[in-house]
Amino acid sequence: VVTSPTMCGNYWYPINGAYLTMNTNSAAQSTNYSQWSANLDKPGIYKVEAYIRNHPVISWQCPAKTVSYDTADARYTIYTASGAVNVTGNQRPLSDAWLSLGNRQFNPGSAVRVRLSDLNSETNATYSISVHDMRFTLVQETCYTLQLNYSPA
């Protein structure tokens, strides 16, 4: 069990190369989020994955409780070529593993972002929200067809 006297307040707690915060089910209490940005070279469909790092049981100080598991209701927003997509991911069973957030269309030069919030539907301050790396793997490159028209003089 990991205990730290600095585990009070609204922030992300660093542990084992990852960061944790407590969940909240109240939008008014939601203050923590993490955001990843990427520069992708090619237009196409990418598999989006979040890395969930293994960590020990956490003894939070504020509120005083032991938290054994990550959330089963991690709320990600993925900003794609066609707009924002909300995805729910189950971090609970994962330990040093990738969580698939699905395949998404991205274009180079567009705002490629993923955002994870501390807000979810679980009982307030019962689970940790874990953040580490985000991975974008090209699954299918988008090819554009060039149409040329010729009109003889």
Side-chain angles (χ1 to χ4, degrees), residues 20 52-53 55 68-72 91-92 127-130:
L20 304 177
I52 309 303
R53 183 84 177 179
H55 62 81
S68 300
Y69 302 104
D70 287 336
T71 182
Q91 296 182 345
R92 190 166 301 151
Y127 296 104
S128 53
I129 309 269
S130 178

Side-chain angles (χ1 to χ4, degrees), residues 40 45-50 76 78 80 87 98-106 112-114 134-139:
L40 304 176
I45 298 172
Y46 287 80
K47 182 176 184 178
V48 181
E49 298 169 287
Y76 295 87
I78 304 171
T80 70
V87 177
W98 290 97
L99 171 62
S100 177
L101 302 177
N103 293 344
R104 309 289 171 206
Q105 176 73 43
F106 295 105
V112 177
R113 293 182 295 135
V114 178
M134 191 65 56
R135 178 166 69 183
F136 299 85
T137 305
L138 184 61
V139 175

Side-chain angles (χ1 to χ4, degrees), residues 37-70:
S37 298
N39 294 315
L40 304 176
D41 295 337
K42 299 177 181 179
I45 298 172
Y46 287 80
K47 182 176 184 178
V48 181
E49 298 169 287
Y51 190 73
I52 309 303
R53 183 84 177 179
N54 181 39
H55 62 81
V57 171
I58 304 295
S59 180
W60 290 95
Q61 302 304 302
C62 305
K65 62 174 49 187
T66 298
V67 179
S68 300
Y69 302 104
D70 287 336

Side-chain angles (χ1 to χ4, degrees), residues 9-21:
N10 296 320
Y11 63 90
W12 293 93
Y13 175 73
I15 186 165
N16 291 357
Y19 291 88
L20 304 177
T21 194

Side-chain angles (χ1 to χ4, degrees), residues 66-153:
T66 298
V67 179
S68 300
Y69 302 104
D70 287 336
T71 182
D73 188 30
R75 305 271 178 101
Y76 295 87
T77 302
I78 304 171
Y79 297 88
T80 70
S82 58
V85 177
N86 294 315
V87 177
T88 299
N90 184 358
Q91 296 182 345
R92 190 166 301 151
L94 302 176
S95 175
D96 290 337
W98 290 97
L99 171 62
S100 177
L101 302 177
N103 293 344
R104 309 289 171 206
Q105 176 73 43
F106 295 105
N107 294 325
S110 63
V112 177
R113 293 182 295 135
V114 178
R115 181 181 168 125
L116 172 63
S117 172
D118 60 355
L119 182 64
N120 69 16
S121 65
E122 295 169 319
T123 302
N124 195 48
T126 53
Y127 296 104
S128 53
I129 309 269
S130 178
V131 300
H132 194 268
D133 291 335
M134 191 65 56
R135 178 166 69 183
F136 299 85
T137 305
L138 184 61
V139 175
Q140 179 182 348
E141 189 171 350
T142 301
C143 297
Y144 296 101
T145 303
L146 176 63
Q147 181 178 352
L148 299 174
N149 295 316
Y150 173 73
S151 297

